[in-house]
Amino acid sequence: MIVSRLGGVRIGELTDVRAARPEAVAEAVARRVRPASLPDRPMIIAADHPARGALAAGGDPVAMADRGDLLERLCTALERPGVDGVLGTPDVIEDLALLGVLDGRLAIGSMNRGGLAGTAFEIDDRFTAYDADAIAASRLDGGKMLLRIDDADPATARTLEACGRAVTGLAGHRLMAIVEPFVAHRVEGRLRNLLTPEAMIRAVSVASGLGATSAYTWLKVPVVPGMERVAAATTLPLLLLGGDIGDDPGPVLDGWRRALRLPGVKGLVAGRSLLYPPDGDVRAAVDAAVELL
């Protein structure tokens, strides 16, 4: 168990603090110093994968299974210059608040984690983590939701409706809503995202119209061929997502670099690609991504 001091408590003390004094979680969240404003080119570390049962990174199917190791990697990433914040489910955000590493950083709450990876009900992506009111009450800076559109799965309609309500709710609190849209379909029983320009243009177009207002909506999108066409499909600000980069980060970094030149692309949200790089050097991976911005 990792016991090095990284903030308010030690990673190795988190379970004892949670068991003996659960009110410390709310106290730590309330103490967090929020950033004065949203950065022009936000760089956010994503850490909401485990709550959807997606633990794989870099070829290891359980790379993200050790919570202490994940938290240490997150703390390393958050201390790097140019990193603006983190995106996570309540358990991760609250652990980081207890560790005292969120002051001055954006904290984005991940909302729908019910579409567990690899399940028959994956498209029925219910809101099992934060809702808009909880994000506002926790003084977070916004909420993120995943929207996968499968024409053959009726559960898509329920997820669309829930995402629309979440966008409206966050806007009511004047908080950023980050929607991550895909067109998806089943291949041999497993859900796969379609990463063609046409599929992403459709996904972006649908996501742009969610909710009673789009004033606070941002979109989180992958880099695909013809990225300029995808960016041209909306006037909403775009954030690039990371994903798993495999053994060679070069092509992914090149793709980010080209996409970040597009007028509508405002920043980067990356998780596994920076927290679990092929060479294990989190600092170098994060610094390379920050340099692109």
Side-chain angles (χ1 to χ4, degrees):
M1 178 62 70
I2 302 165
V3 296
S4 58
R5 182 164 294 281
L6 294 169
V9 301
R10 304 171 189 230
I11 291 177
E13 299 168 344
L14 285 169
T15 300
D16 289 340
V17 170
R18 284 177 171 276
R21 210 166 67 84
E23 65 274 14
V25 172
E27 293 169 1
V29 171
R31 281 196 306 269
R32 168 180 162 260
V33 178
R34 296 178 68 180
S37 61
L38 180 69
D40 291 334
R41 303 277 276 176
M43 169 67 184
I44 299 169
I45 305 296
D48 60 344
H49 310 83
R52 205 170 64 81
L55 301 172
D60 181 351
V62 291
M64 303 184 77
D66 186 322
R67 182 51 57 94
D69 177 63
L70 171 61
L71 290 171
E72 187 170 49
R73 291 169 185 267
L74 282 168
C75 290
T76 298
L78 285 167
E79 72 183 6
R80 303 308 299 163
V83 173
D84 297 300
V86 66
L87 185 161
T89 43
D91 55 327
V92 173
I93 295 292
E94 290 165 355
D95 276 345
L96 294 172
L98 286 166
L99 293 170
V101 298
L102 292 184
D103 283 350
R105 305 293 191 189
L106 294 170
I108 307 296
S110 187
M111 303 176 76
N112 57 329
R113 299 281 87 187
L116 302 184
T119 61
F121 55 86
E122 191 168 349
I123 283 292
D124 190 352
D125 210 343
R126 303 191 185 195
F127 282 63
T128 54
Y130 288 110
D131 59 24
D133 289 342
I135 286 172
S138 297
R139 301 173 54 256
L140 303 188
D141 303 293
K144 173 257 180 180
M145 63 208 76
L146 178 60
L147 171 64
R148 287 160 301 179
I149 302 165
D150 184 346
D151 292 355
D153 194 328
T156 297
R158 290 192 290 272
T159 304
L160 276 166
E161 182 182 22
C163 288
R165 287 197 304 267
V167 168
T168 300
L170 288 166
H173 293 289
R174 298 188 177 184
L175 292 171
M176 172 194 292
I178 300 176
V179 185
E180 182 179 351
F182 292 98
V183 170
H185 65 162
R186 295 275 176 181
V187 178
E188 297 180 351
R190 297 188 68 83
L191 198 65
R192 294 287 182 264
N193 296 326
L194 292 176
L195 300 179
T196 64
E198 293 76 15
M200 284 310 306
I201 288 168
R202 184 179 181 220
V204 162
S205 299
V206 171
S208 297
L210 289 174
T213 176
S214 61
Y216 294 89
T217 305
W218 293 51
L219 302 181
K220 179 172 176 262
V221 297
V223 176
V224 299
M227 196 64 194
E228 65 282 353
R229 294 172 57 201
V230 177
T234 184
T235 58
L236 302 185
L238 301 180
L239 297 168
L240 303 179
L241 65 85
D244 203 343
I245 62 174
D247 294 331
D248 183 8
V252 174
L253 291 173
D254 288 342
W256 288 346
R257 182 179 294 108
R258 290 192 298 272
L260 284 165
R261 296 178 184 140
L262 297 172
V265 178
K266 300 301 182 183
L268 178 64
V269 181
R272 290 171 293 179
S273 56
L274 303 184
L275 296 174
Y276 298 88
D279 62 1
D281 191 340
V282 176
R283 290 180 179 85
V286 172
D287 291 348
V290 167
E291 186 178 355
L292 301 178
L293 293 168

PDB file of all heavy atoms in Angstrom, residues 96-131:
ATOM      1  N   LEU A  96      -9.278  12.208  -4.232  1.00  0.00           N
ATOM      2  CA  LEU A  96      -8.334  13.286  -4.548  1.00  0.00           C
ATOM      3  C   LEU A  96      -8.559  14.501  -3.667  1.00  0.00           C
ATOM      4  O   LEU A  96      -7.602  15.191  -3.289  1.00  0.00           O
ATOM      5  CB  LEU A  96      -8.458  13.659  -6.028  1.00  0.00           C
ATOM      6  CG  LEU A  96      -8.030  12.575  -7.024  1.00  0.00           C
ATOM      7  CD1 LEU A  96      -8.381  12.988  -8.445  1.00  0.00           C
ATOM      8  CD2 LEU A  96      -6.545  12.268  -6.902  1.00  0.00           C
ATOM      9  N   ALA A  97      -9.823  14.780  -3.326  1.00  0.00           N
ATOM     10  CA  ALA A  97     -10.099  15.887  -2.403  1.00  0.00           C
ATOM     11  C   ALA A  97      -9.517  15.588  -1.029  1.00  0.00           C
ATOM     12  O   ALA A  97      -8.926  16.473  -0.386  1.00  0.00           O
ATOM     13  CB  ALA A  97     -11.601  16.127  -2.306  1.00  0.00           C
ATOM     14  N   LEU A  98      -9.668  14.364  -0.544  1.00  0.00           N
ATOM     15  CA  LEU A  98      -9.090  13.984   0.747  1.00  0.00           C
ATOM     16  C   LEU A  98      -7.566  14.091   0.721  1.00  0.00           C
ATOM     17  O   LEU A  98      -6.938  14.459   1.724  1.00  0.00           O
ATOM     18  CB  LEU A  98      -9.508  12.563   1.116  1.00  0.00           C
ATOM     19  CG  LEU A  98     -10.952  12.377   1.577  1.00  0.00           C
ATOM     20  CD1 LEU A  98     -11.332  10.905   1.570  1.00  0.00           C
ATOM     21  CD2 LEU A  98     -11.160  12.974   2.970  1.00  0.00           C
ATOM     22  N   LEU A  99      -6.972  13.779  -0.414  1.00  0.00           N
ATOM     23  CA  LEU A  99      -5.516  13.886  -0.548  1.00  0.00           C
ATOM     24  C   LEU A  99      -5.052  15.334  -0.656  1.00  0.00           C
ATOM     25  O   LEU A  99      -3.865  15.623  -0.518  1.00  0.00           O
ATOM     26  CB  LEU A  99      -5.039  13.107  -1.782  1.00  0.00           C
ATOM     27  CG  LEU A  99      -5.197  11.590  -1.724  1.00  0.00           C
ATOM     28  CD1 LEU A  99      -4.934  10.964  -3.084  1.00  0.00           C
ATOM     29  CD2 LEU A  99      -4.263  11.001  -0.678  1.00  0.00           C
ATOM     30  N   GLY A 100      -5.981  16.242  -0.922  1.00  0.00           N
ATOM     31  CA  GLY A 100      -5.642  17.658  -0.966  1.00  0.00           C
ATOM     32  C   GLY A 100      -4.960  18.109  -2.230  1.00  0.00           C
ATOM     33  O   GLY A 100      -4.200  19.080  -2.221  1.00  0.00           O
ATOM     34  N   VAL A 101      -5.251  17.435  -3.372  1.00  0.00           N
ATOM     35  CA  VAL A 101      -4.537  17.773  -4.607  1.00  0.00           C
ATOM     36  C   VAL A 101      -5.420  18.481  -5.632  1.00  0.00           C
ATOM     37  O   VAL A 101      -4.996  18.669  -6.779  1.00  0.00           O
ATOM     38  CB  VAL A 101      -3.924  16.500  -5.247  1.00  0.00           C
ATOM     39  CG1 VAL A 101      -2.898  15.877  -4.315  1.00  0.00           C
ATOM     40  CG2 VAL A 101      -5.011  15.485  -5.607  1.00  0.00           C
ATOM     41  N   LEU A 102      -6.619  18.894  -5.236  1.00  0.00           N
ATOM     42  CA  LEU A 102      -7.543  19.502  -6.200  1.00  0.00           C
ATOM     43  C   LEU A 102      -7.626  21.017  -6.107  1.00  0.00           C
ATOM     44  O   LEU A 102      -8.347  21.634  -6.893  1.00  0.00           O
ATOM     45  CB  LEU A 102      -8.951  18.910  -6.032  1.00  0.00           C
ATOM     46  CG  LEU A 102      -9.124  17.445  -6.430  1.00  0.00           C
ATOM     47  CD1 LEU A 102     -10.582  17.035  -6.291  1.00  0.00           C
ATOM     48  CD2 LEU A 102      -8.633  17.195  -7.849  1.00  0.00           C
ATOM     49  N   ASP A 103      -6.924  21.629  -5.167  1.00  0.00           N
ATOM     50  CA  ASP A 103      -6.995  23.091  -5.055  1.00  0.00           C
ATOM     51  C   ASP A 103      -6.519  23.754  -6.346  1.00  0.00           C
ATOM     52  O   ASP A 103      -5.438  23.449  -6.870  1.00  0.00           O
ATOM     53  CB  ASP A 103      -6.143  23.581  -3.888  1.00  0.00           C
ATOM     54  CG  ASP A 103      -6.816  23.362  -2.550  1.00  0.00           C
ATOM     55  OD1 ASP A 103      -8.010  23.006  -2.543  1.00  0.00           O
ATOM     56  OD2 ASP A 103      -6.153  23.531  -1.508  1.00  0.00           O
ATOM     57  N   GLY A 104      -7.340  24.677  -6.859  1.00  0.00           N
ATOM     58  CA  GLY A 104      -6.989  25.387  -8.076  1.00  0.00           C
ATOM     59  C   GLY A 104      -7.148  24.574  -9.337  1.00  0.00           C
ATOM     60  O   GLY A 104      -6.803  25.050 -10.422  1.00  0.00           O
ATOM     61  N   ARG A 105      -7.664  23.347  -9.215  1.00  0.00           N
ATOM     62  CA  ARG A 105      -7.832  22.476 -10.375  1.00  0.00           C
ATOM     63  C   ARG A 105      -9.312  22.328 -10.715  1.00  0.00           C
ATOM     64  O   ARG A 105     -10.173  22.349  -9.832  1.00  0.00           O
ATOM     65  CB  ARG A 105      -7.272  21.075 -10.085  1.00  0.00           C
ATOM     66  CG  ARG A 105      -5.829  21.030  -9.638  1.00  0.00           C
ATOM     67  CD  ARG A 105      -4.898  21.466 -10.740  1.00  0.00           C
ATOM     68  NE  ARG A 105      -3.510  21.177 -10.411  1.00  0.00           N
ATOM     69  CZ  ARG A 105      -2.474  21.601 -11.114  1.00  0.00           C
ATOM     70  NH1 ARG A 105      -2.669  22.343 -12.186  1.00  0.00           N
ATOM     71  NH2 ARG A 105      -1.247  21.301 -10.757  1.00  0.00           N
ATOM     72  N   LEU A 106      -9.615  22.180 -11.982  1.00  0.00           N
ATOM     73  CA  LEU A 106     -10.966  21.834 -12.390  1.00  0.00           C
ATOM     74  C   LEU A 106     -11.309  20.438 -11.886  1.00  0.00           C
ATOM     75  O   LEU A 106     -10.461  19.539 -11.887  1.00  0.00           O
ATOM     76  CB  LEU A 106     -11.082  21.842 -13.915  1.00  0.00           C
ATOM     77  CG  LEU A 106     -10.928  23.186 -14.634  1.00  0.00           C
ATOM     78  CD1 LEU A 106     -10.831  22.957 -16.139  1.00  0.00           C
ATOM     79  CD2 LEU A 106     -12.078  24.109 -14.307  1.00  0.00           C
ATOM     80  N   ALA A 107     -12.534  20.246 -11.459  1.00  0.00           N
ATOM     81  CA  ALA A 107     -13.032  18.926 -11.082  1.00  0.00           C
ATOM     82  C   ALA A 107     -14.337  18.707 -11.838  1.00  0.00           C
ATOM     83  O   ALA A 107     -15.332  19.381 -11.583  1.00  0.00           O
ATOM     84  CB  ALA A 107     -13.252  18.829  -9.576  1.00  0.00           C
ATOM     85  N   ILE A 108     -14.316  17.780 -12.780  1.00  0.00           N
ATOM     86  CA  ILE A 108     -15.471  17.481 -13.623  1.00  0.00           C
ATOM     87  C   ILE A 108     -16.045  16.139 -13.178  1.00  0.00           C
ATOM     88  O   ILE A 108     -15.331  15.124 -13.129  1.00  0.00           O
ATOM     89  CB  ILE A 108     -15.089  17.413 -15.108  1.00  0.00           C
ATOM     90  CG1 ILE A 108     -14.350  18.693 -15.538  1.00  0.00           C
ATOM     91  CG2 ILE A 108     -16.320  17.173 -15.959  1.00  0.00           C
ATOM     92  CD1 ILE A 108     -15.156  19.950 -15.452  1.00  0.00           C
ATOM     93  N   GLY A 109     -17.341  16.110 -12.860  1.00  0.00           N
ATOM     94  CA  GLY A 109     -17.969  14.887 -12.391  1.00  0.00           C
ATOM     95  C   GLY A 109     -18.486  14.036 -13.537  1.00  0.00           C
ATOM     96  O   GLY A 109     -19.195  14.524 -14.419  1.00  0.00           O
ATOM     97  N   SER A 110     -18.130  12.747 -13.531  1.00  0.00           N
ATOM     98  CA  SER A 110     -18.633  11.807 -14.529  1.00  0.00           C
ATOM     99  C   SER A 110     -20.001  11.305 -14.085  1.00  0.00           C
ATOM    100  O   SER A 110     -20.180  10.904 -12.940  1.00  0.00           O
ATOM    101  CB  SER A 110     -17.652  10.646 -14.689  1.00  0.00           C
ATOM    102  OG  SER A 110     -18.028   9.811 -15.755  1.00  0.00           O
ATOM    103  N   MET A 111     -20.968  11.293 -14.990  1.00  0.00           N
ATOM    104  CA  MET A 111     -22.371  11.133 -14.606  1.00  0.00           C
ATOM    105  C   MET A 111     -22.967   9.759 -14.923  1.00  0.00           C
ATOM    106  O   MET A 111     -23.479   9.082 -14.049  1.00  0.00           O
ATOM    107  CB  MET A 111     -23.194  12.237 -15.268  1.00  0.00           C
ATOM    108  CG  MET A 111     -22.690  13.644 -14.921  1.00  0.00           C
ATOM    109  SD  MET A 111     -23.556  14.989 -15.760  1.00  0.00           S
ATOM    110  CE  MET A 111     -25.077  15.051 -14.823  1.00  0.00           C
ATOM    111  N   ASN A 112     -22.918   9.338 -16.176  1.00  0.00           N
ATOM    112  CA  ASN A 112     -23.570   8.054 -16.516  1.00  0.00           C
ATOM    113  C   ASN A 112     -22.534   6.953 -16.676  1.00  0.00           C
ATOM    114  O   ASN A 112     -21.766   6.925 -17.625  1.00  0.00           O
ATOM    115  CB  ASN A 112     -24.438   8.182 -17.772  1.00  0.00           C
ATOM    116  CG  ASN A 112     -23.684   8.668 -18.995  1.00  0.00           C
ATOM    117  OD1 ASN A 112     -22.727   9.427 -18.896  1.00  0.00           O
ATOM    118  ND2 ASN A 112     -24.116   8.243 -20.161  1.00  0.00           N
ATOM    119  N   ARG A 113     -22.521   6.028 -15.736  1.00  0.00           N
ATOM    120  CA  ARG A 113     -21.586   4.908 -15.736  1.00  0.00           C
ATOM    121  C   ARG A 113     -22.318   3.573 -15.723  1.00  0.00           C
ATOM    122  O   ARG A 113     -21.725   2.537 -15.439  1.00  0.00           O
ATOM    123  CB  ARG A 113     -20.652   4.980 -14.530  1.00  0.00           C
ATOM    124  CG  ARG A 113     -19.773   6.222 -14.462  1.00  0.00           C
ATOM    125  CD  ARG A 113     -18.569   6.124 -15.396  1.00  0.00           C
ATOM    126  NE  ARG A 113     -18.847   6.571 -16.747  1.00  0.00           N
ATOM    127  CZ  ARG A 113     -17.988   6.454 -17.755  1.00  0.00           C
ATOM    128  NH1 ARG A 113     -16.830   5.866 -17.586  1.00  0.00           N
ATOM    129  NH2 ARG A 113     -18.307   6.893 -18.949  1.00  0.00           N
ATOM    130  N   GLY A 114     -23.638   3.600 -16.001  1.00  0.00           N
ATOM    131  CA  GLY A 114     -24.423   2.377 -15.907  1.00  0.00           C
ATOM    132  C   GLY A 114     -24.273   1.433 -17.083  1.00  0.00           C
ATOM    133  O   GLY A 114     -24.603   0.255 -16.980  1.00  0.00           O
ATOM    134  N   GLY A 115     -23.783   1.922 -18.216  1.00  0.00           N
ATOM    135  CA  GLY A 115     -23.579   1.057 -19.376  1.00  0.00           C
ATOM    136  C   GLY A 115     -22.253   0.339 -19.274  1.00  0.00           C
ATOM    137  O   GLY A 115     -21.275   0.680 -19.940  1.00  0.00           O
ATOM    138  N   LEU A 116     -22.205  -0.679 -18.417  1.00  0.00           N
ATOM    139  CA  LEU A 116     -20.948  -1.348 -18.108  1.00  0.00           C
ATOM    140  C   LEU A 116     -20.312  -1.960 -19.358  1.00  0.00           C
ATOM    141  O   LEU A 116     -20.995  -2.544 -20.198  1.00  0.00           O
ATOM    142  CB  LEU A 116     -21.166  -2.433 -17.055  1.00  0.00           C
ATOM    143  CG  LEU A 116     -21.764  -1.966 -15.729  1.00  0.00           C
ATOM    144  CD1 LEU A 116     -21.838  -3.131 -14.743  1.00  0.00           C
ATOM    145  CD2 LEU A 116     -20.968  -0.812 -15.133  1.00  0.00           C
ATOM    146  N   ALA A 117     -19.006  -1.830 -19.462  1.00  0.00           N
ATOM    147  CA  ALA A 117     -18.279  -2.295 -20.637  1.00  0.00           C
ATOM    148  C   ALA A 117     -18.479  -3.789 -20.855  1.00  0.00           C
ATOM    149  O   ALA A 117     -18.343  -4.593 -19.934  1.00  0.00           O
ATOM    150  CB  ALA A 117     -16.791  -1.988 -20.476  1.00  0.00           C
ATOM    151  N   GLY A 118     -18.830  -4.143 -22.090  1.00  0.00           N
ATOM    152  CA  GLY A 118     -18.943  -5.541 -22.462  1.00  0.00           C
ATOM    153  C   GLY A 118     -20.263  -6.207 -22.148  1.00  0.00           C
ATOM    154  O   GLY A 118     -20.434  -7.391 -22.430  1.00  0.00           O
ATOM    155  N   THR A 119     -21.224  -5.469 -21.589  1.00  0.00           N
ATOM    156  CA  THR A 119     -22.492  -6.078 -21.198  1.00  0.00           C
ATOM    157  C   THR A 119     -23.528  -5.978 -22.323  1.00  0.00           C
ATOM    158  O   THR A 119     -23.385  -5.185 -23.250  1.00  0.00           O
ATOM    159  CB  THR A 119     -23.074  -5.384 -19.950  1.00  0.00           C
ATOM    160  OG1 THR A 119     -23.319  -4.004 -20.259  1.00  0.00           O
ATOM    161  CG2 THR A 119     -22.113  -5.479 -18.786  1.00  0.00           C
ATOM    162  N   ALA A 120     -24.596  -6.790 -22.181  1.00  0.00           N
ATOM    163  CA  ALA A 120     -25.688  -6.741 -23.143  1.00  0.00           C
ATOM    164  C   ALA A 120     -26.462  -5.434 -23.044  1.00  0.00           C
ATOM    165  O   ALA A 120     -27.117  -5.021 -23.999  1.00  0.00           O
ATOM    166  CB  ALA A 120     -26.631  -7.923 -22.920  1.00  0.00           C
ATOM    167  N   PHE A 121     -26.373  -4.754 -21.883  1.00  0.00           N
ATOM    168  CA  PHE A 121     -27.122  -3.509 -21.654  1.00  0.00           C
ATOM    169  C   PHE A 121     -26.222  -2.278 -21.743  1.00  0.00           C
ATOM    170  O   PHE A 121     -26.556  -1.223 -21.222  1.00  0.00           O
ATOM    171  CB  PHE A 121     -27.805  -3.550 -20.279  1.00  0.00           C
ATOM    172  CG  PHE A 121     -26.886  -3.828 -19.119  1.00  0.00           C
ATOM    173  CD1 PHE A 121     -26.201  -2.806 -18.485  1.00  0.00           C
ATOM    174  CD2 PHE A 121     -26.700  -5.125 -18.673  1.00  0.00           C
ATOM    175  CE1 PHE A 121     -25.341  -3.060 -17.417  1.00  0.00           C
ATOM    176  CE2 PHE A 121     -25.840  -5.390 -17.604  1.00  0.00           C
ATOM    177  CZ  PHE A 121     -25.171  -4.356 -16.977  1.00  0.00           C
ATOM    178  N   GLU A 122     -25.113  -2.384 -22.447  1.00  0.00           N
ATOM    179  CA  GLU A 122     -24.129  -1.297 -22.463  1.00  0.00           C
ATOM    180  C   GLU A 122     -24.693   0.010 -23.007  1.00  0.00           C
ATOM    181  O   GLU A 122     -24.335   1.095 -22.543  1.00  0.00           O
ATOM    182  CB  GLU A 122     -22.898  -1.724 -23.272  1.00  0.00           C
ATOM    183  CG  GLU A 122     -21.719  -0.777 -23.127  1.00  0.00           C
ATOM    184  CD  GLU A 122     -20.422  -1.349 -23.680  1.00  0.00           C
ATOM    185  OE1 GLU A 122     -20.373  -2.556 -23.997  1.00  0.00           O
ATOM    186  OE2 GLU A 122     -19.455  -0.581 -23.794  1.00  0.00           O
ATOM    187  N   ILE A 123     -25.577  -0.057 -23.993  1.00  0.00           N
ATOM    188  CA  ILE A 123     -26.151   1.161 -24.570  1.00  0.00           C
ATOM    189  C   ILE A 123     -27.094   1.855 -23.589  1.00  0.00           C
ATOM    190  O   ILE A 123     -27.261   3.080 -23.622  1.00  0.00           O
ATOM    191  CB  ILE A 123     -26.882   0.828 -25.882  1.00  0.00           C
ATOM    192  CG1 ILE A 123     -25.861   0.637 -27.002  1.00  0.00           C
ATOM    193  CG2 ILE A 123     -27.871   1.918 -26.279  1.00  0.00           C
ATOM    194  CD1 ILE A 123     -25.125   1.897 -27.411  1.00  0.00           C
ATOM    195  N   ASP A 124     -27.701   1.090 -22.684  1.00  0.00           N
ATOM    196  CA  ASP A 124     -28.606   1.667 -21.680  1.00  0.00           C
ATOM    197  C   ASP A 124     -27.751   2.303 -20.584  1.00  0.00           C
ATOM    198  O   ASP A 124     -27.623   1.797 -19.477  1.00  0.00           O
ATOM    199  CB  ASP A 124     -29.505   0.578 -21.104  1.00  0.00           C
ATOM    200  CG  ASP A 124     -30.627   1.151 -20.246  1.00  0.00           C
ATOM    201  OD1 ASP A 124     -30.609   2.362 -19.984  1.00  0.00           O
ATOM    202  OD2 ASP A 124     -31.499   0.383 -19.841  1.00  0.00           O
ATOM    203  N   ASP A 125     -27.154   3.436 -20.936  1.00  0.00           N
ATOM    204  CA  ASP A 125     -26.115   4.043 -20.092  1.00  0.00           C
ATOM    205  C   ASP A 125     -26.762   4.955 -19.057  1.00  0.00           C
ATOM    206  O   ASP A 125     -26.834   6.175 -19.234  1.00  0.00           O
ATOM    207  CB  ASP A 125     -25.129   4.814 -20.965  1.00  0.00           C
ATOM    208  CG  ASP A 125     -23.731   4.836 -20.374  1.00  0.00           C
ATOM    209  OD1 ASP A 125     -23.601   4.553 -19.166  1.00  0.00           O
ATOM    210  OD2 ASP A 125     -22.783   5.115 -21.108  1.00  0.00           O
ATOM    211  N   ARG A 126     -27.216   4.363 -17.973  1.00  0.00           N
ATOM    212  CA  ARG A 126     -27.966   5.117 -16.967  1.00  0.00           C
ATOM    213  C   ARG A 126     -27.049   5.974 -16.094  1.00  0.00           C
ATOM    214  O   ARG A 126     -25.866   5.682 -15.942  1.00  0.00           O
ATOM    215  CB  ARG A 126     -28.776   4.144 -16.104  1.00  0.00           C
ATOM    216  CG  ARG A 126     -29.701   3.304 -16.965  1.00  0.00           C
ATOM    217  CD  ARG A 126     -30.691   2.518 -16.161  1.00  0.00           C
ATOM    218  NE  ARG A 126     -31.473   1.643 -17.040  1.00  0.00           N
ATOM    219  CZ  ARG A 126     -32.588   1.044 -16.683  1.00  0.00           C
ATOM    220  NH1 ARG A 126     -33.066   1.207 -15.462  1.00  0.00           N
ATOM    221  NH2 ARG A 126     -33.230   0.270 -17.535  1.00  0.00           N
ATOM    222  N   PHE A 127     -27.650   6.994 -15.506  1.00  0.00           N
ATOM    223  CA  PHE A 127     -26.895   7.941 -14.685  1.00  0.00           C
ATOM    224  C   PHE A 127     -26.807   7.381 -13.262  1.00  0.00           C
ATOM    225  O   PHE A 127     -27.703   7.568 -12.444  1.00  0.00           O
ATOM    226  CB  PHE A 127     -27.559   9.314 -14.729  1.00  0.00           C
ATOM    227  CG  PHE A 127     -27.248  10.057 -15.991  1.00  0.00           C
ATOM    228  CD1 PHE A 127     -27.658   9.555 -17.220  1.00  0.00           C
ATOM    229  CD2 PHE A 127     -26.523  11.229 -15.967  1.00  0.00           C
ATOM    230  CE1 PHE A 127     -27.355  10.227 -18.394  1.00  0.00           C
ATOM    231  CE2 PHE A 127     -26.218  11.913 -17.138  1.00  0.00           C
ATOM    232  CZ  PHE A 127     -26.640  11.402 -18.363  1.00  0.00           C
ATOM    233  N   THR A 128     -25.698   6.700 -13.012  1.00  0.00           N
ATOM    234  CA  THR A 128     -25.515   6.018 -11.733  1.00  0.00           C
ATOM    235  C   THR A 128     -24.497   6.712 -10.839  1.00  0.00           C
ATOM    236  O   THR A 128     -24.230   6.234  -9.738  1.00  0.00           O
ATOM    237  CB  THR A 128     -25.054   4.572 -11.980  1.00  0.00           C
ATOM    238  OG1 THR A 128     -23.882   4.587 -12.815  1.00  0.00           O
ATOM    239  CG2 THR A 128     -26.142   3.769 -12.678  1.00  0.00           C
ATOM    240  N   ALA A 129     -23.912   7.807 -11.298  1.00  0.00           N
ATOM    241  CA  ALA A 129     -22.930   8.542 -10.490  1.00  0.00           C
ATOM    242  C   ALA A 129     -23.519   9.918 -10.164  1.00  0.00           C
ATOM    243  O   ALA A 129     -24.588  10.013  -9.587  1.00  0.00           O
ATOM    244  CB  ALA A 129     -21.601   8.634 -11.229  1.00  0.00           C
ATOM    245  N   TYR A 130     -22.843  10.979 -10.533  1.00  0.00           N
ATOM    246  CA  TYR A 130     -23.351  12.323 -10.262  1.00  0.00           C
ATOM    247  C   TYR A 130     -24.603  12.626 -11.085  1.00  0.00           C
ATOM    248  O   TYR A 130     -24.771  12.124 -12.194  1.00  0.00           O
ATOM    249  CB  TYR A 130     -22.300  13.366 -10.636  1.00  0.00           C
ATOM    250  CG  TYR A 130     -21.102  13.470  -9.732  1.00  0.00           C
ATOM    251  CD1 TYR A 130     -19.845  13.055 -10.166  1.00  0.00           C
ATOM    252  CD2 TYR A 130     -21.204  14.021  -8.454  1.00  0.00           C
ATOM    253  CE1 TYR A 130     -18.724  13.186  -9.355  1.00  0.00           C
ATOM    254  CE2 TYR A 130     -20.090  14.151  -7.644  1.00  0.00           C
ATOM    255  CZ  TYR A 130     -18.853  13.731  -8.091  1.00  0.00           C
ATOM    256  OH  TYR A 130     -17.743  13.857  -7.295  1.00  0.00           O
ATOM    257  N   ASP A 131     -25.467  13.491 -10.539  1.00  0.00           N
ATOM    258  CA  ASP A 131     -26.455  14.189 -11.349  1.00  0.00           C
ATOM    259  C   ASP A 131     -26.129  15.680 -11.269  1.00  0.00           C
ATOM    260  O   ASP A 131     -25.207  16.093 -10.563  1.00  0.00           O
ATOM    261  CB  ASP A 131     -27.891  13.880 -10.911  1.00  0.00           C
ATOM    262  CG  ASP A 131     -28.179  14.250  -9.458  1.00  0.00           C
ATOM    263  OD1 ASP A 131     -27.485  15.137  -8.900  1.00  0.00           O
ATOM    264  OD2 ASP A 131     -29.104  13.670  -8.874  1.00  0.00           O
TER     265      ASP A 131
END
